[in-house]
C-alpha cells in the first residue's frame, strides 16, 4: 500500500489549430487536364472494345426485323419492340429483372476487376476519348495544346479551335439523333429533322442530348466521373484485398528519381533508387489527372492508360514490366490472389438466379392480355325477355407481332346468352376494344354475385394454343 506509482515527466504536445479557410479559394476553377496519347496492348483493346460498342450503338436502330424497326422503344404508345418480342406496361417485371441482372453483373465485375466498366465500356469515357482524338487531330499533341492555349488568339489558333468544336458538335448531334432513334422510327427521324418537320419532343430531345454530349465529353469530362457519377462513391463497398485494380508497386518503384539509361537494373540498389524514374507519364495519360503512385483513389477508372505508359518506359529502360499493373492488394503484399471467395461467389449465385428468372419469365410469357371493364352506368338490367343482363368491355391485347384471330367464350354460368362478337381479329401489337353483354334467366342465379370467366383463345401457326381466362363478376339484385 506504501508503494508509489512512478511519475514520468512528459513534454506536452503542442496542438496545431487548423488554418482558417481562405474564402477566396473555396470555388476555384479546376486545372484543365491535357490528356497525353498512349500506345500499348490495353489501349488497343480499349479502343477496339469502344469502337465495337459504338458501331453496335449506331447500327441497332437501323436493323429491320419482319418489316419493322428491330429495336423501337415507343414511349408514346407504351410499347417496346425488341425483335420478335413486344413489351407492354403489363410486362414491367421483365424490365425489373433486366435492371436487377445488370446491377448484379456490375457488382460481380467490380468485385473481380474494379472499375473496368468505367474504363472500357462507360459511354462517358468512350466519348471523352473520341473528343480527345479530335483535339489531338486539330491542335496537336499534349505539349502543342498547352502552348496553343497559352498564346493569344490569332488566325491559326482560331481555325483550329473552330474546327475542333465543329467536329465536337457534329459528333454530339449524330449521337443524339442515334439515341433518339431508339424511341422513334429512325429513318423518318433523320428526314424530319433535316427538313425541320420533327415533332416538338423529338426535336427537343435531339437538341437536349446534343448539348449534353458536347458538354459532358468536351468540357466536363472527368467532373462527370469524380463528382456526378454515384458509382465512384459506392464502388469501394465492393472492393476487397483480392480485387484486381490498377496499382503501383511501391516496393519496386521507390525511391523514385531520374537516372541515366545506362544505369543497369542491378545497380539501382547501390544508388538508392527504385525502378520509377519519375517521368510523370502515368499522370499525363490519366483522363482524370490523378497520380496512381499515391495509391488507390476513387477517381481512378481502371482504364489502364498508366499501365501502358509505364510499361513503355520500363521497356526503354530495360527494366521488368509491371511496375504499374492490374493486380490485387494481396499480390502487392507478396501473397496470392484468391479468385474464388464468398463475396464473389455470392454475387455470381444471385446473378445466375436472376438470369434464370428473367429467362423463365420470357419463356413462360403469354403473348395475350385480356382486361375486363364492367359497365359503370348500371350494375345490371332486365331485358325484354325478362333475363338479367350485365354489360362489359373486353380489351384484347395482342402482345405478339403477328395478326391473330381470337375466340371468346364465357364460363361459370350454366345457361347464358352472349351478345356481341365471339370471334375477333387483332393485329400484331394492337388492342381491340369489344363491348359485350351476358344475359341469363334469373332462376339460374343462386347468389347476388356470381363469378364468371371470359375465356379468350387462339391457335398459333405451329399449332400451339394460347389461352387466357380472365375472371369477372355477374351481378344481380
Amino acid at each position: 500500500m506504501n508503494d508509489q506509482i512512478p511519475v514520468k515527466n512528459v513534454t506536452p504536445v503542442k496542438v496545431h489549430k487548423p488554418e482558417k479557410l481562405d474564402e477566396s479559394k473555396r470555388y476555384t476553377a479546376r486545372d484543365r487536364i491535357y490528356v497525353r496519347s498512349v500506345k500499348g496492348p490495353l489501349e488497343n483493346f480499349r479502343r477496339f472494345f469502344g469502337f465495337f460498342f459504338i458501331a453496335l450503338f449506331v447500327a441497332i436502330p437501323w436493323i429491320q426485323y419482319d418489316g419493322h424497326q428491330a429495336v423501337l422503344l415507343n414511349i408514346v404508345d407504351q410499347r417496346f419492340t425488341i425483335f420478335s418480342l413486344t413489351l407492354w406496361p403489363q410486362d414491367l417485371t421483365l424490365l425489373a429483372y433486366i435492371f436487377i441482372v445488370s446491377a448484379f453483373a456490375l457488382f460481380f465485375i467490380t468485385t473481380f476487376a474494379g472499375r473496368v466498366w468505367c474504363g472500357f465500356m462507360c459511354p462517358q469515357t468512350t466519348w471523352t476519348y473520341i473528343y480527345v482524338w479530335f483535339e489531338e487531330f486539330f491542335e496537336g499533341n499534349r505539349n502543342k495544346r498547352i502552348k496553343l492555349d497559352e498564346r493569344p488568339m490569332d488566325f491559326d489558333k482560331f481555325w483550329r479551335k473552330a474546327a475542333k468544336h465543329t467536329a465536337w458538335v457534329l459528333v454530339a448531334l449524330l449521337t443524339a439523333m442515334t439515341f433518339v432513334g431508339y424511341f422513334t422510327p429512325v429513318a423518318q427521324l433523320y428526314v424530319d429533322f433535316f427538313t425541320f418537320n420533327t415533332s416538338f419532343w423529338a426535336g427537343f430531345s435531339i437538341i437536349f442530348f446534343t448539348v449534353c454530349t458536347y458538354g459532358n465529353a468536351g468540357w466536363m469530362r472527368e467532373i462527370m466521373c469524380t463528382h456526378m457519377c454515384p458509382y465512384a462513391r459506392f464502388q469501394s463497398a465492393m472492393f476487397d484485398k483480392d480485387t484486381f485494380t490498377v496499382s503501383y508497386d511501391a516496393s519496386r518503384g521507390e525511391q523514385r528519381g531520374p537516372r541515366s539509361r545506362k544505369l543497369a537494373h542491378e545497380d539501382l540498389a547501390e544508388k538508392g533508387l527504385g525502378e520509377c524514374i519519375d517521368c510523370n507519364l502515368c499522370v499525363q495519360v490519366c483522363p482524370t489527372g490523378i497520380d496512381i503512385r499515391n495509391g488507390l483513389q476513387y477517381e481512378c477508372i481502371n482504364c489502364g492508360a498508366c499501365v501502358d505508359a509505364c510499361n513503355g518506359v520500363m521497356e526503354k529502360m530495360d527494366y521488368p514490366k509491371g511496375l504499374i499493373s492490374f493486380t490485387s492488394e494481396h499480390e502487392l503484399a507478396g501473397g496470392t490472389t484468391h479468385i474464388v471467395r464468398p463475396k464473389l461467389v455470392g454475387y455470381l449465385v444471385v446473378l445466375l438466379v436472376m438470369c434464370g428468372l428473367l429467362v423463365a419469365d420470357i419463356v413462360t410469357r403469354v403473348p395475350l392480355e385480356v382486361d375486363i371493364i364492367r359497365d359503370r352506368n348500371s350494375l345490371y338490367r332486365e331485358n325484354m325477355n325478362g333475363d338479367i343482363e350485365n354489360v362489359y368491355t373486353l380489351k384484347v391485347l395482342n402482345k405478339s407481332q403477328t395478326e391473330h384471330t381470337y375466340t371468346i367464350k364465357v364460363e361459370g354460368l350454366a345457361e347464358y346468352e352472349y351478345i356481341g362478337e365471339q370471334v375477333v381479329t387483332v393485329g400484331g401489337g394492337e388492342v381491340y376494344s369489344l363491348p359485350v353483354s351476358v344475359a341469363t334467366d334469373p332462376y339460374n342465379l343462386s347468389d347476388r354475385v356470381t363469378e364468371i370467366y371470359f375465356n379468350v383463345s387462339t391457335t398459333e401457326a405451329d399449332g400451339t394454343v394460347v389461352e387466357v381466362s380472365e375472371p369477372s363478376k355477374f351481378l344481380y339484385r
Side-chain angles (χ1 to χ4, degrees), residues 381-451:
R381 66 191 181 196
E382 185 175 346
N383 61 22
M384 296 173 58
N385 300 324
D387 293 338
I388 303 303
E389 184 178 338
N390 281 207
V391 180
Y392 308 86
T393 299
L394 273 63
K395 291 187 176 294
V396 181
L397 170 59
N398 181 2
K399 297 167 71 173
S400 69
Q401 296 179 358
T402 57
E403 184 180 85
H404 284 287
T405 299
Y406 299 97
T407 303
I408 304 170
K409 299 178 181 179
V410 177
E411 299 173 350
L413 290 174
E415 296 179 8
Y416 66 91
E417 180 184 3
Y418 181 92
I419 305 170
E421 296 180 79
Q422 282 193 281
V423 178
V424 296
T425 301
V426 185
E430 295 182 358
V431 180
Y432 191 92
S433 184
L434 175 66
V436 300
S437 297
V438 179
T440 188
D441 193 306
Y443 291 101
N444 296 327
L445 302 173
S446 57
D447 297 319
R448 297 179 59 184
V449 180
T450 303
E451 187 170 21

Side-chain angles (χ1 to χ4, degrees), residues 164-354:
K164 178 188 73 172
H165 287 283
T166 301
W168 283 4
V169 171
L170 289 176
V171 171
L173 178 61
L174 292 175
T175 301
M177 294 187 69
T178 301
F179 182 72
V180 176
Y182 280 83
F183 302 91
T184 187
V186 65
Q188 190 62 39
L189 175 68
Y190 274 77
V191 174
D192 290 344
F193 181 79
F194 289 108
T195 57
F196 304 100
N197 289 322
T198 55
S199 64
F200 170 77
W201 286 113
F204 173 79
S205 299
I206 290 174
I207 295 173
F208 175 77
F209 288 113
T210 298
V211 173
C212 288
T213 304
Y214 172 78
N216 291 346
W219 294 96
M220 301 184 71
R221 294 187 180 177
E222 79 284 352
I223 291 180
M224 293 293 297
C225 303
T226 58
H227 291 78
M228 301 182 70
C229 178
Y231 183 40
R233 302 297 176 177
F234 68 79
Q235 59 164 335
S236 58
M238 290 169 276
F239 283 12
D240 55 35
K241 293 185 177 181
D242 294 299
T243 300
F244 289 99
T245 59
V246 174
S247 303
Y248 166 72
D249 191 348
S251 63
R252 284 180 51 185
E254 303 299 322
Q255 285 284 339
R256 68 184 77 157
R259 77 288 307 274
S260 170
R261 292 180 62 177
K262 297 180 180 179
L263 182 63
H265 181 262
E266 56 270 13
D267 297 332
L268 292 179
E270 297 180 4
K271 299 292 184 180
L273 292 173
E275 295 179 5
C276 178
I277 67 172
D278 205 19
C279 62
N280 268 350
L281 283 181
C282 57
V283 180
Q284 295 177 15
V285 301
C286 179
T288 58
I290 65 170
D291 189 343
I292 195 63
R293 296 172 295 181
N294 293 333
L296 180 63
Q297 299 150 72
Y298 77 90
E299 296 93 342
C300 177
I301 61 173
N302 263 26
C303 64
C306 56
V307 176
D308 282 334
C310 186
N311 283 341
V313 173
M314 293 295 102
E315 188 175 2
K316 292 178 181 178
M317 296 296 298
D318 200 21
Y319 294 168
K321 296 181 181 179
L323 180 59
I324 300 176
S325 63
F326 279 90
T327 187
S328 67
E329 189 175 340
H330 274 157
E331 285 191 9
L332 285 177
T336 304
T337 301
H338 302 91
I339 301 297
V340 180
R341 50 194 189 275
K343 182 191 290 187
L344 197 63
V345 172
Y347 282 138
L348 180 60
V349 169
V350 176
L351 177 60
L352 294 177
V353 169
M354 298 312 299

Side-chain angles (χ1 to χ4, degrees), residues 61-196:
W62 294 96
I63 299 175
Q64 295 292 308
Y65 177 83
D66 200 18
H68 60 81
Q69 187 170 321
V71 177
L72 181 59
L73 312 178
N74 194 329
I75 296 178
V76 176
D77 294 338
Q78 299 182 350
R79 180 175 64 189
F80 289 2
T81 302
I82 306 174
F83 290 88
S84 62
L85 182 67
T86 301
L87 302 179
W88 298 82
Q90 295 88 339
D91 300 310
L92 185 63
T93 53
L94 281 177
L95 189 62
Y97 280 137
I98 291 172
F99 282 139
I100 294 173
V101 167
S102 301
F104 277 97
L106 184 63
F107 298 161
F108 175 78
I109 293 298
T110 302
T111 302
F112 178 73
R115 289 181 67 181
V116 289
W117 158 264
C118 296
F120 291 86
M121 290 187 65
C122 178
Q124 174 67 22
T125 303
T126 303
W127 261 257
T128 295
Y129 273 111
I130 292 174
Y131 275 42
V132 170
W133 183 88
F134 278 107
E135 205 168 51
E136 291 181 348
F137 181 81
F138 289 109
E139 298 181 2
N141 59 30
R142 180 178 183 273
N143 293 332
K144 290 182 178 179
R145 298 201 304 273
I146 294 175
K147 292 180 180 179
L148 184 68
D149 286 345
E150 290 176 348
R151 79 183 197 214
M153 182 63 69
D154 54 20
F155 178 76
D156 180 68
K157 182 176 181 178
F158 174 79
W159 83 260
R160 292 180 184 277
K161 292 288 185 181
K164 178 188 73 172
H165 287 283
T166 301
W168 283 4
V169 171
L170 289 176
V171 171
L173 178 61
L174 292 175
T175 301
M177 294 187 69
T178 301
F179 182 72
V180 176
Y182 280 83
F183 302 91
T184 187
V186 65
Q188 190 62 39
L189 175 68
Y190 274 77
V191 174
D192 290 344
F193 181 79
F194 289 108
T195 57
F196 304 100

